[in-house]
Amino acid sequence: MTATQADVKHVLFLCTHNSARSVLAESIMNRVGAERFKAYSAGSMPSGTINPYAINLLKHLNYKTDTLRSKAWDEFAKAGNPDAPDLDFVFTVCDNAAGEVCPIWPGQPMSAHWGIPDPSAAVGTEAEIALAFAEAYRQLNSRITLFCALPMASIDKMSLQKRLDEIGKSRAPDEPAA
């Protein structure tokens, strides 16, 4: 059964620079959650460019990348942009984003912190840096897949919030304990 336009939930992934993790999450959600979710990404201090390692990884995994761009979170705030989508969920994906001051979103979307180490900070060989991006992708894909499997129509708001927080603390099935 295909969801109607009104049934589609809008999800915003926030990070600092909107150049890697949030862009990966946006792409994953738009694939994994197609027809049920529409994802966006933004940053508190957008870099203005998408990290080339993120683009290369997405292309390698057959994602469409030509419409991806680094953008500021105020593009999604109704106060500054009346055409902004009504957000149902806002997820921060920065390692340190839980301590950052985030804007208050009108309509009170559900939110959670899903911290992922910044692959853009990786140093080493080309292969080591690419591996950091692949690891961020794997963690995000695991969390987004768990999120998309939640029974949205039958779960109450408090239980949903608890599940969102648990997903943010979850590890991928093959990820070792810290």
Side-chain angles (χ1 to χ4, degrees):
M1 174 161 68
T2 303
T4 66
Q5 194 80 9
D7 294 333
V8 172
K9 302 292 185 196
H10 296 270
V11 181
L12 178 62
F13 291 97
L14 286 176
C15 203
T16 306
H17 301 294
N18 190 223
S19 66
R21 292 166 290 188
S22 52
V23 173
L24 293 173
E26 172 187 4
S27 297
I28 295 165
M29 177 63 82
N30 283 330
R31 177 180 283 178
V32 174
E35 296 186 20
R36 292 182 54 220
F37 299 97
K38 171 64 179 148
Y40 310 92
S41 66
S44 56
M45 297 181 292
S47 67
T49 60
I50 306 297
N51 187 294
Y53 285 95
I55 292 292
N56 289 340
L57 175 62
L58 291 170
K59 283 182 178 180
H60 177 74
L61 296 170
N62 297 315
Y63 282 88
K64 184 178 173 190
T65 62
D66 58 328
T67 59
L68 296 175
R69 62 185 177 84
S70 179
K71 51 210 164 293
W73 61 16
D74 58 358
E75 187 173 317
F76 297 93
K78 285 283 190 187
N81 180 4
D83 295 327
D86 291 323
L87 298 172
D88 298 291
F89 298 95
V90 175
F91 299 114
T92 53
V93 295
C94 295
D95 236 357
N96 59 355
E100 292 177 346
V101 177
C102 292
I104 296 171
W105 297 100
Q108 299 301 310
M110 301 283 300
S111 62
H113 177 65
W114 290 359
I116 301 288
D118 186 2
S120 298
V123 293
T125 65
E126 292 279 322
E128 290 168 329
I129 295 169
L131 182 62
F133 276 84
E135 177 61 17
Y137 176 91
R138 187 180 63 77
Q139 289 179 18
L140 288 164
N141 189 61
S142 177
R143 291 177 182 180
I144 291 167
T145 299
L146 287 169
F147 171 75
C148 289
L150 293 174
M152 296 293 172
S154 64
I155 193 169
D156 64 84
K157 192 170 182 171
M158 191 178 312
S159 297
L160 178 58
Q161 184 64 59
K162 183 178 181 211
R163 296 291 298 273
L164 297 179
D165 293 338
E166 288 169 354
I167 289 170
K169 296 173 186 162
S170 70
R171 295 185 317 267
D174 58 344
E175 185 178 344

